[in-house]
């Protein structure tokens, strides 16, 4: 693709837009933040949530749209907060999660991300990414957002919030999902994105 392709990203989260654009720029793709209400169904599947929200937005906007749904899944808590991560972050936050894990030996966790993209000529496509890791014993670092200060990716010592942004992208669920999307889309020709 030669010219930059621009797509509406349905989200209210500026951090997600910043990360996604950093990851997508080598593919010649730019996301424009469209802060309208994302229609979210109750589901334990991030892919299902993202697909439904993308189709609802596409129906209304009739132009290429992208929705991302992500969450933190903690093994000792049977996958909680998962699809409820945004609400849990706003209510009990990182401190609350650390309290829930007090005395637990198993601190294994995964961040997951589902990306749903729709365009008139390519239809609906989904991509996902996962980052395996663990929940730290304390909050560390100030970069990023959400649960970044308590998530340490496998094989590393730093939390996402202690890493330079590009290093987080290398390990993150968002990095994996958006790189998959970027390489797929850049292999297609979108007549009118
Ligand atoms: P949603 O996708 O808008 O439902 O929100 C996902 C929530 O999961 C965010 O509000 C964060 O609390 C959390 N989350 C998702 N991805 C990340 C990340 O990369 N770092 C930290 N927290 C994240």
């Amino acid at each position: 693709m030669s010219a930059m392709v621009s797509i509406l990203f349905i989200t209210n989260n500026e951090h997600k837009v910043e990360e996604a654009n950093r990851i997508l720029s080598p593919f010649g793709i730019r996301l424009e933040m469209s802060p309208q209400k994302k229609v979210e169904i109750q589901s334990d599947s991030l892919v299902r949530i993202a697909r439904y929200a993308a189709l609802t937005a596409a129906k209304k906007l009739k132009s290429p749209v992208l929705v991302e749904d992500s969450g933190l899944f903690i093994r000792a808590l049977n996958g909680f907060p998962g699809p409820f991560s945004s609400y849990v972050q706003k209510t009990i936050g990182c401190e609350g999660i650390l309290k829930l894990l007090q005395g637990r030996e198993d601190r294994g966790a995964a961040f997951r991300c589902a990306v749903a993209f729709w365009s008139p000529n390519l239809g609906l496509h989904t991509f996902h990414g996962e980052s395996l890791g663990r929940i730290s014993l304390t909050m560390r670092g100030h970069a990023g957002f959400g649960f970044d200060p308590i998530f340490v990716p496998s094989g590393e010592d730093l939390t996402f919030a202690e890493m330079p942004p590009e290093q987080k992208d290398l390990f993150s669920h968002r990095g994996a999902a958006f790189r998959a999307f970027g390489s797929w889309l850049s292999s297609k020709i979108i007549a009118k994105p």
Side-chain angles (χ1 to χ4, degrees):
M1 271 185 301
S2 46
M4 203 74 162
V5 171
S6 180
I7 298 162
L8 289 180
F9 186 5
I10 314 298
T11 182
N12 294 309
N13 187 330
E14 290 171 1
H15 298 279
K16 285 187 177 183
V17 183
E18 196 185 316
E19 286 190 12
N21 274 329
R22 212 166 47 222
I23 297 155
L24 290 175
S25 72
F27 298 100
I29 301 166
R30 174 146 196 92
L31 303 181
E32 300 298 333
M33 182 170 176
S34 181
Q36 42 197 294
K37 183 137 182 53
K38 183 169 107 185
V39 179
E40 274 202 29
I41 53 162
Q42 284 283 331
S43 169
D44 55 7
S45 158
L46 299 182
V47 169
R48 224 175 294 141
I49 296 170
R51 285 173 77 91
Y52 186 87
L55 284 178
T56 311
K59 231 184 238 170
K60 189 170 144 201
L61 300 167
K62 296 184 175 58
S63 62
V65 291
L66 184 143
V67 172
E68 185 256 45
D69 206 67
S70 48
L72 176 65
F73 296 74
I74 300 174
R75 196 164 48 210
L77 305 178
N78 297 324
F80 181 83
F84 310 107
S85 293
S86 173
Y87 180 71
V88 170
Q89 172 61 41
K90 278 185 223 140
T91 50
I92 63 170
C94 291
E95 293 93 342
I97 293 292
L98 291 179
K99 272 194 197 134
L100 287 175
L101 286 184
Q102 249 168 24
R104 301 275 195 147
E105 228 167 79
D106 180 6
R107 304 189 72 87
F111 262 128
R112 297 197 183 111
C113 171
V115 168
F117 167 76
W118 180 91
S119 83
N121 49 339
L122 294 170
L124 181 68
H125 291 267
T126 47
F127 306 83
H128 45 92
E130 184 177 59
S131 178
L132 298 177
R134 63 183 189 278
I135 303 298
S136 54
L137 292 170
T138 56
M139 287 175 68
R140 287 190 271 123
H142 300 285
F145 70 103
F147 296 113
D148 279 347
I150 57 167
F151 186 81
V152 181
S154 294
E156 297 299 304
D157 295 319
L158 299 180
T159 65
F160 272 165
E162 291 177 305
M163 293 179 176
E166 293 74 15
Q167 195 182 345
K168 175 183 173 183
D169 297 344
L170 278 181
F171 294 111
S172 84
H173 49 313
R174 192 160 295 103
F178 277 96
R179 277 191 295 274
F181 166 66
S183 69
W184 171 80
L185 187 61
S186 57
S187 72
K188 306 271 168 199
I189 298 157
I190 306 180
K192 214 164 186 296

